[in-house]
Amino acid sequence: MIDALIFDSGVGGLSVSEEIRRRMPDCSLGYLCDNAALPYGTRRDDWLIERIVAVCVSACELARPRVLVVACNTASTLALAALRARLPIPVIGTVPAIKPAAEASRSRTIGLLATGATVHRPYLDRLIADHASDCRVVRVAADALVIQAESHLAGKAIDARTLQMAVAPLRAAAELDVVVLGCTHFPLLRGLLEPLMPDRLWIDSGAAIARRLSQVLGDTRSVPAPPGEASEAPSWATAPQVPSLGPILRRFGYSSPLALEITQPAVATPVS
Ligand code: DGL
């Protein structure tokens, strides 16, 4: 049994895993990615709900975590209720940090970089209505950054023009003072994005998720293995054969991925 299984479509959840390890170095973690279906942000909602539930339910049967952390805004803004209905353990979601952004903004103009799916979801409309109703929120669908983040961790060159294009609508709003990274892949590019718009506050949800996990686990956390006996954190992937994935996961403290076979629903062609 592990304390928490961290789930994302790809390597984006590793940005959340880092925050969890910073806060709770002894927490036993596992990592799960549905990289056969990456990117999620351009797929149909009904297919995605079925897929996310199938992937998480099968992985939880194997990993037996105390808590599932959905380290993916695109999945959380759509499938949290379905996951909670199917799983007997607490499920922690990731949603864009609109509330802290609104609390921090002086100009009342904030920017959101997220996947196309997340920026158009009713969940986001409700989040803004509840916490940032007096703010102008510049929403940017930046799906191309998901692939850039995957490439960046794989050690491949970044396309500077793609990054420039993603932030262009935010730069056009001169008074904007806070940028929300509403996709867990994007903090992996933070060092490249921030210099494009310095003097703004850049916020993501990683630290808040780590705090929430610490509350949910409370005293039930597993006893850490004695030094020298610590075993590697397990990982699972739906396309474990992707050559760059094993080295990336090992760099973040996980074992090479085991195969998670999901036959239903099969991977469909992305919408766009
Ligand atoms: N990392 C995911 C998120 O936070 C999405 C990436 C994808 O489109 O698959 O939204």
Side-chain angles (χ1 to χ4, degrees), residues 8-9 38-41 72-74 115 146 183-185:
D8 182 36
S9 53
L38 180 87
Y40 272 0
C72 175
N73 295 262
T74 309
T115 64
V146 173
C183 169
T184 54
H185 277 77

Side-chain angles (χ1 to χ4, degrees), residues 40-42 73-74 113-120 140-143 146 182-183 186:
Y40 272 0
T42 51
N73 295 262
T74 309
L113 278 179
T115 64
T118 298
V119 298
H120 295 120
V140 180
D143 293 283
V146 173
C183 169
F186 299 171

Side-chain angles (χ1 to χ4, degrees), residues 153-238:
L153 280 202
K156 295 185 197 146
I158 288 290
D159 177 15
R161 227 178 95 75
T162 303
L163 266 55
Q164 294 274 3
M165 277 166 60
V167 300
L170 304 180
R171 289 169 92 160
E175 68 288 6
L176 183 150
D177 60 354
V178 183
V179 181
V180 176
L181 294 173
C183 169
T184 54
H185 277 77
F186 299 171
L188 301 169
L189 295 172
R190 200 172 175 138
L192 299 164
L193 290 169
E194 268 197 40
L196 302 178
M197 286 182 68
D199 308 322
R200 267 65 161 215
L201 180 65
W202 291 70
I203 299 187
D204 64 65
S205 311
I209 297 162
R211 274 198 304 277
R212 180 75 193 125
L213 178 61
S214 167
Q215 282 167 1
V216 171
L217 284 172
D219 297 332
T220 69
R221 217 173 303 162
S222 55
V223 180
E229 280 180 33
S231 56
E232 257 186 335
S235 74
W236 291 265
T238 51

Side-chain angles (χ1 to χ4, degrees), residues 6-9 12-14 16 69-73 76 92-94 184 209:
I6 301 173
F7 163 64
D8 182 36
S9 53
L14 293 171
V16 176
V69 176
V70 182
C72 175
N73 295 262
S76 300
I92 295 176
T94 305
T184 54
I209 297 162

